[in-house]
Amino acid sequence: MNFEKPVRSSLAKQVVTQLEQLIESGKWAVGMKIPAEPELVEQLGVSRNTVREALHALIHNGLLEARQGDGTYVRASTHFEAALLRRLRGSEIGDILEVRYSLERDIARLAAVRRTDEEVALLRDALSLRNERVDDREAFVAADFVFHIAMAAATHNPLLLELYKYMSEHVQKTIARVGSLELANVKDQKAIHADLLAAIEQQDPVAAEKAACSFIEALQEGWAAVNEPREE
């Protein structure tokens, strides 16, 4: 077997590594605008071309996003998140909801078994806030997201939480753009979420799973309804 001689990493690759560490550590958080090229050149002590090459590499792999006339922003915190976001952006919402159906079902079941009293209190507060914001679609969708992330956190499975967070956030943003499907039948959704919280409080995984399936099925039905072909 023939081996190639190892070579020293290029300056651009070293800069990429440093910037990745800033992103993955959270010092450069998702959504944050990073320093402009001249500032990075000065801080890193390398040429503008080196910085530009490193930024292009991070933009290409999805960790950064260049916005014309505005600057460069952190788009994802890990390569896993970047890859998942790329895949989600090319997926149909109906397909994403089918996957979310499986996630919600398992999350509800595990949360019912593993939740702490403190997590139940957080879920109760989050659901209360969600119910208060039914007259503001954007605020309602944001509060709904907080509730479901808190439920995912109650599973005590960090990988499941991470996967759910990326997928659910994409679904929430898409639904928010076309109108909240949950608000279309808020009375039923309010009852379903109350049942979900009660099942988690009572540590009843079967009832929690049933409630989780119910609200995703309602979303699927709502999405199908608004996307039905209209007769000319």
Side-chain angles (χ1 to χ4, degrees), residues 71-132:
T72 303
Y73 289 78
V74 180
R75 182 181 182 187
S77 59
T78 65
H79 289 283
F80 171 73
E81 180 182 1
L84 183 58
L85 287 174
R86 284 197 301 271
R87 185 65 185 89
L88 288 172
R89 286 188 174 94
S91 302
E92 295 291 333
I93 292 299
D95 294 336
I96 295 173
L97 285 172
E98 285 185 356
V99 177
R100 190 182 168 196
Y101 183 94
S102 299
L103 286 176
E104 292 280 3
R105 183 179 58 199
D106 288 339
I107 284 170
R109 176 173 51 81
L110 291 173
V113 173
R114 299 175 180 174
R115 98 298 185 275
T116 64
D117 290 341
E118 291 78 9
E119 286 164 340
V120 169
L122 288 174
L123 284 166
R124 194 181 296 118
D125 289 344
L127 187 57
S128 177
L129 184 63
R130 177 186 184 276
N131 292 338
E132 290 172 2

Side-chain angles (χ1 to χ4, degrees), residues 14-117:
Q14 292 178 49
V15 171
V16 165
T17 299
Q18 287 193 60
L19 300 187
E20 284 177 336
Q21 290 172 349
L22 288 171
I23 293 169
E24 292 176 3
S25 69
K27 290 181 180 178
W28 282 6
V30 173
M32 173 183 168
K33 183 177 181 179
I34 71 170
E37 282 186 12
E39 187 176 343
L40 290 174
V41 168
E42 183 178 349
Q43 291 182 1
L44 292 163
V46 295
S47 71
R48 191 181 187 110
N49 284 340
T50 297
V51 168
R52 190 165 292 173
E53 183 180 344
L55 292 178
H56 283 171
L58 292 171
I59 290 169
H60 178 73
N61 65 27
L63 289 178
L64 295 178
E65 176 185 18
R67 299 179 187 174
Q68 182 119 17
D70 188 4
T72 303
Y73 289 78
V74 180
R75 182 181 182 187
S77 59
T78 65
H79 289 283
F80 171 73
E81 180 182 1
L84 183 58
L85 287 174
R86 284 197 301 271
R87 185 65 185 89
L88 288 172
R89 286 188 174 94
S91 302
E92 295 291 333
I93 292 299
D95 294 336
I96 295 173
L97 285 172
E98 285 185 356
V99 177
R100 190 182 168 196
Y101 183 94
S102 299
L103 286 176
E104 292 280 3
R105 183 179 58 199
D106 288 339
I107 284 170
R109 176 173 51 81
L110 291 173
V113 173
R114 299 175 180 174
R115 98 298 185 275
T116 64
D117 290 341

